[in-house]
């Protein structure tokens, strides 16, 4: 059986280190640098002939540079005769551009899927895609892992009287995710309907459901500028919520996000480490990070050994 080789891009070397540690190995040698004209240069530092290669790169930070870096790494391994190349993308770039919602709008998530396939990826492992149908943009296998088991674990361990809480979706699109978590905790759920005038700016919000004198937990897949989640928290407080928490899979925190979170009535905003969070936690102590390296590491191990990955959809590996 070929050996596992894990290569880390520049977006999140710490997560790659944790995953490699879980698998009892070290990240493989690769030199990533830029030429004077800012072109990306990749040098794979060891043989990958006949090996099972996993390239980890998250869609965060300088997204375009990191995407290009990953494509070049996939291509480099493929033409160096790797047996199989799997792109491990904890946070999928351009995931929000997944449909043609106005005239002449691009479907950039599909373009990224095409680029990964053409570069030579044989398999994709990602986590909590913004829209599950992005899997259909690929003609190669895609494993969309869920942070949900880790989120349930956090709620049970950190929220007193969690049996009395209400799980809240900040928009209609996240209703399915929220219903799934509420069912597994056996609690009620609520929904906030929002209307936007322009992208990233929410105009009006309406709460559907009862949160009076209960802890409200807002659940979504992405915390970007945090305008929606902070406004939703205010709305929940107005409706009589005892405490408001937010749980998001991907903590992007761009623009004024950290100031908004600090100035909001949210007790804690919990994100996974699909994107590096150390610097943000230092600035904003309300942010807490859940480690998902065990889920991704176990998915890699199961993929390598030809085992089923579906166990991870409902359980956190030990």
């Amino acid at each position: 059986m070929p050996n596992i080789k894990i290569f880390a891009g520049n977006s999140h070397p710490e997560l790659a280190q944790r995953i490699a540690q879980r698998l009892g190995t070290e990240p493989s040698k690769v030199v990533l640098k830029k030429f004077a004209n800012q072109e990306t240069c990749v040098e794979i530092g060891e043989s990958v002939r006949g090996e099972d290669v996993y390239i980890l790169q998250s869609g965060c930070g300088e997204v375009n540079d990191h995407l290009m870096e990953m494509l070049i790494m996939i291509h480099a391994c493929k033409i160096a005769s790797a047996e199989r190349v799997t792109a491990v993308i904890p946070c999928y770039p351009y995931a929000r551009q997944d449909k043609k919602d106005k005239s002449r709008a691009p479907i950039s998530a599909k373009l990224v899927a095409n680029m990964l396939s053409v570069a030579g990826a044989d398999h994709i492992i990602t986590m909590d895609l913004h829209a599950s149908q992005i899997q259909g943009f690929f003609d190669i296998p895609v494993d969309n892992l869920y942070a949900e088991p880790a989120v349930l674990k956090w709620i049970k361990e950190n929220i007193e009287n969690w049996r009395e809480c209400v799980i809240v979706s900040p928009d209609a699109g996240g209703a399915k995710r929220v219903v799934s978590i509420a069912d597994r905790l056996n609690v009620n759920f609520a929904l906030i309907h929002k209307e936007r005038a322009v992208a990233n700016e929410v105009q009006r919000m309406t709460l559907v459901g009862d949160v009076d004198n209960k802890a409200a937990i807002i659940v979504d897949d992405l915390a970007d500028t945090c305008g929606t989640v902070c406004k939703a928290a205010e709305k929940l407080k107005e409706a009589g919520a005892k405490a408001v928490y937010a749980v998001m899979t991907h903590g992007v925190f761009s623009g004024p996000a950290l100031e908004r979170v600090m100035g909001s009535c949210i007790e804690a905003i919990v994100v996974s480490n699909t994107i590096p969070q150390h610097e943000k936690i230092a600035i904003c102590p309300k942010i807490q990070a859940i480690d998902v390296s065990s889920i991704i590491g176990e998915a890699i191990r199961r993929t390598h050994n030809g085992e089923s990955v579906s166990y991870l959809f409902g359980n956190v590996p030990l």
Side-chain angles (χ1 to χ4, degrees):
M1 185 181 259
N3 296 319
I4 291 183
K5 296 268 185 188
I6 294 172
F7 290 97
N10 277 325
S11 65
H12 203 342
E14 187 213 344
L15 182 63
Q17 183 68 51
R18 283 175 179 241
I19 290 168
Q21 218 168 354
R22 181 178 173 86
L23 295 167
T25 178
E26 282 291 315
S28 301
K29 295 185 189 74
V30 60
V31 177
L32 304 164
K33 56 187 182 193
K34 281 207 165 96
F35 291 121
N37 66 352
Q38 296 304 298
E39 283 181 7
T40 300
C41 170
V42 170
E43 292 170 15
I44 305 293
E46 52 192 82
S47 171
V48 294
R49 185 177 293 274
E51 304 287 31
D52 192 10
V53 173
Y54 294 84
I55 294 169
L56 187 129
Q57 187 82 296
S58 208
C60 58
E62 296 172 346
V63 177
N64 297 332
D65 278 358
H66 291 153
L67 176 59
M68 196 64 208
E69 197 176 87
M70 175 168 57
L71 295 170
I72 296 171
M73 286 167 83
I74 292 168
H75 175 68
C77 290
K78 200 68 188 169
I79 61 172
S81 304
E83 177 75 18
R84 175 173 63 179
V85 179
T86 300
V88 182
I89 315 168
C91 180
Y92 188 88
Y94 292 92
R96 282 176 285 181
Q97 298 182 39
D98 61 335
K99 57 185 177 290
K100 201 165 174 181
D101 51 1
K102 50 184 183 283
S103 352
R104 297 174 297 283
I107 307 177
S108 308
K110 165 68 173 159
L111 176 62
V112 171
N114 289 348
M115 287 160 75
L116 288 162
S117 299
V118 170
D122 299 300
H123 179 207
I124 306 289
I125 294 175
T126 185
M127 183 167 261
D128 272 345
L129 284 169
H130 185 65
S132 298
Q133 61 266 31
I134 290 173
Q135 293 170 87
F137 293 165
F138 290 90
D139 291 324
I140 54 175
V142 178
D143 284 319
N144 180 27
L145 305 171
Y146 300 118
E148 185 182 296
V151 167
L152 294 169
K153 191 168 171 241
W154 185 89
I155 290 171
K156 287 174 182 174
E157 288 172 2
N158 294 275
I159 294 179
E160 286 181 52
N161 300 332
W162 59 266
R163 288 183 174 83
E164 300 296 313
C165 73
V166 178
I167 310 294
V168 183
S169 174
D171 55 28
K176 199 173 172 186
R177 184 182 294 109
V178 161
V179 169
S180 170
I181 289 175
D183 283 352
R184 290 188 60 184
L185 289 172
N186 199 20
V187 297
N188 291 332
F189 70 93
L191 182 77
I192 289 173
H193 174 67
K194 65 182 179 189
E195 287 169 18
R196 276 198 170 105
V198 293
N200 284 17
E201 276 183 40
V202 178
Q203 206 175 19
R204 201 160 61 89
M205 289 187 148
T206 315
L207 175 67
V208 182
D210 176 31
V211 294
D212 193 25
N213 206 27
K214 291 175 180 170
I217 304 167
I218 302 168
V219 174
D220 206 357
D221 67 316
L222 201 81
D224 188 359
T225 55
C226 291
T228 303
V229 73
C230 292
K231 280 206 169 93
E234 280 170 34
K235 191 83 189 165
L236 291 166
K237 273 288 192 189
E238 283 168 25
K242 207 162 44 173
V244 181
Y245 300 88
V247 181
M248 316 277 171
T249 306
H250 309 295
V252 179
F253 300 119
S254 53
L258 298 178
E259 291 161 35
R260 281 177 177 167
V261 171
M262 281 306 286
S264 74
C265 57
I266 296 171
E267 306 275 324
I269 183 159
V270 182
V271 293
S272 75
N273 63 341
T274 53
I275 293 171
Q277 300 296 346
H278 290 304
E279 289 173 18
K280 294 158 191 167
I281 290 170
I283 299 168
C284 176
K286 283 188 181 183
I287 297 171
Q288 295 181 31
I290 301 173
D291 183 21
V292 292
S293 62
S294 62
I295 298 174
I296 297 170
E298 183 63 10
I300 290 173
R301 190 194 67 75
R302 285 169 176 261
T303 303
H304 177 68
N305 294 334
E307 298 170 25
S308 167
V309 174
S310 55
Y311 169 82
L312 299 173
F313 297 161
N315 301 278
V316 179
L318 297 169

